Amino acid sequence: MKCALFFLLVCFAAHGYAQEDEREKEFRERAAKLKQDSTKQYGWTHNLTSGLNLSQVSFKDWAAGGENALAYTVWANGSSTQDMEMTNWSNSYKFAFGQTKLQNQGVRKTNDELYLESLLIYKLWTYINPYASATLRSQFTKGYEYDILGNKTAVSKFFDPAYLTQSLGAAYKPVPEVVTRVGVGVREVLTSAFTVYSDDPSTTKIEKVKVNGGFESVTDVDWKFAENLQFTSKLELFAPFKTLDEIIVRNDNTILAKVNNYVNASFNIVLINDVTVTRRTQIKQLLAIGLSYTLL
């Protein structure tokens, strides 16, 4: 009887020590997590990815017919972000340039983009915070329109036009993959030779700079929906105070599929609706396979 009682006491003690050890382990884990959260690393983070997309086709004695073609696009995307306890300052940039040569038609530009954005968010609340932003969009070289005979007419060049937007408002981040912001801003169109983008036809003077105040909305999506698949989207809306019914829309969407660390395939479609340039919706679509390399 005494042996049985002693055995039970030993079992209860062992069970108590096991529970105590489990509670101690949970306490240490919570303490470690709190320490990790309280010692969050603030400062700058940088990333930069560049790539080259190529396509080529050639024919010799091909009965079905066809034209030789060579196309390339070089690109670079990157960002620099300073995350502090009360502020988040993110700077992103996107550069792309591409050309194609089709048989006897010479070299023509197929892609040309220069884009810079700076966004400062002041952390007041969990989901909604005030922001200030500035964006610049232009191109590197001359752009042309071609008629059916192949004659070309210049319609743009470097920094002509250039679109500069500054705004203030509130940013909302419901989930880590989506950030949307709404505010008031100023949109400037800067030109030199191609004043069709900035001139007001109702005046006799030719304006090389057009400034409009209005409401701005920008929504960014960065969603990695599979191990090697990523969807990014930027929807920009600007409604001038003078013509609120003529909203300027730009929507840039990309699906990126990584084959490995150096090879990727991408599908990009850009939609632009800007009645100050044309009444028609502008569409640019790109499907490419190429090389990419992460520099930072």
Side-chain angles (χ1 to χ4, degrees):
M1 184 68 180
K2 291 182 178 179
C3 292
L5 182 59
F6 178 75
F7 179 74
L8 289 174
L9 290 174
V10 170
C11 289
F12 280 125
H15 180 68
Y17 284 128
Q19 287 185 327
E20 185 68 25
D21 184 64
E22 188 67 25
R23 287 194 294 268
E24 180 67 19
K25 182 180 178 181
E26 292 178 358
F27 175 78
R28 289 178 180 178
E29 289 177 351
R30 289 197 300 269
K33 186 177 185 303
L34 289 173
K35 182 178 179 181
Q36 182 180 4
D37 293 341
S38 63
T39 58
K40 181 179 179 180
Q41 296 296 318
Y42 294 108
W44 286 96
T45 57
H46 308 276
N47 70 77
L48 173 62
T49 303
S50 64
L52 171 65
N53 298 329
L54 289 170
S55 67
Q56 184 267 339
V57 60
S58 63
F59 302 91
K60 185 177 186 299
D61 300 327
W62 191 254
E67 294 185 333
N68 298 340
L70 173 66
Y72 77 90
T73 298
V74 291
W75 55 269
N77 297 332
S79 65
S80 296
T81 302
Q82 184 192 48
D83 189 29
M84 304 300 289
E85 185 176 2
M86 294 302 298
T87 60
N88 181 276
W89 182 27
S90 60
N91 303 276
S92 58
Y93 41 92
K94 181 179 180 182
F95 309 124
F97 184 78
Q99 291 179 312
T100 185
K101 186 179 187 304
L102 181 63
Q103 196 70 4
N104 299 322
Q105 293 184 7
V107 177
R108 297 186 180 185
K109 185 172 68 172
T110 56
N111 199 358
D112 193 357
E113 183 175 12
L114 187 162
Y115 177 77
L116 304 171
E117 180 182 58
S118 185
L119 172 64
L120 177 64
I121 295 178
Y122 190 73
K123 302 176 184 177
L124 287 181
W125 302 284
T126 303
Y127 298 109
I128 301 178
N129 295 288
Y131 79 89
S133 71
T135 62
L136 172 65
R137 190 185 302 275
S138 188
Q139 58 187 22
F140 291 100
T141 63
K142 275 190 176 183
Y144 298 92
E145 283 187 348
Y146 297 86
D147 60 21
I148 58 175
L149 299 177
N151 300 316
K152 62 182 183 180
T153 303
V155 294
S156 61
K157 64 178 183 178
F158 174 70
F159 225 76
D160 187 6
Y163 299 91
L164 178 63
T165 305
Q166 310 99 51
S167 62
L168 297 169
Y172 175 54
K173 190 173 184 179
V175 292
E177 296 81 8
V178 180
V179 179
T180 185
R181 59 184 193 263
V182 178
V184 294
V186 176
R187 184 175 187 263
E188 302 168 54
V189 183
L190 312 175
T191 66
S192 56
F194 303 100
T195 56
V196 64
Y197 301 99
S198 59
D199 183 45
D200 184 354
S202 64
T203 65
T204 56
K205 181 182 176 181
I206 297 179
E207 291 88 2
K208 293 187 176 183
V209 177
K210 179 167 66 175
V211 181
N212 279 325
F215 296 106
E216 180 202 53
S217 172
V218 179
T219 300
D220 289 289
V221 178
D222 190 349
W223 177 32
K224 188 175 182 180
F225 58 94
E227 184 64 28
N228 64 332
L229 295 174
Q230 186 172 12
F231 172 70
T232 59
S233 175
K234 179 183 283 290
L235 174 61
E236 301 171 89
L237 308 175
F238 188 85
F241 291 136
K242 296 180 180 179
T243 54
L244 289 176
D245 58 329
E246 297 181 350
I247 301 176
I248 299 170
V249 181
R250 183 184 178 91
N251 187 206
D252 190 338
N253 306 277
T254 300
I255 295 178
L256 178 66
K258 293 185 69 68
V259 180
N260 55 40
N261 290 335
Y262 303 103
V263 179
N264 68 71
S266 63
F267 175 74
N268 173 256
I269 183 168
V270 179
L271 307 174
I272 301 176
N273 193 346
D274 186 351
V275 295
T276 63
V277 177
T278 175
R279 289 283 175 180
R280 298 181 178 180
T281 299
Q282 305 171 65
I283 302 175
K284 182 180 74 171
Q285 177 264 322
L286 174 66
L287 177 63
I289 298 177
L291 303 175
S292 67
Y293 184 72
T294 301
L295 302 174
L296 294 175

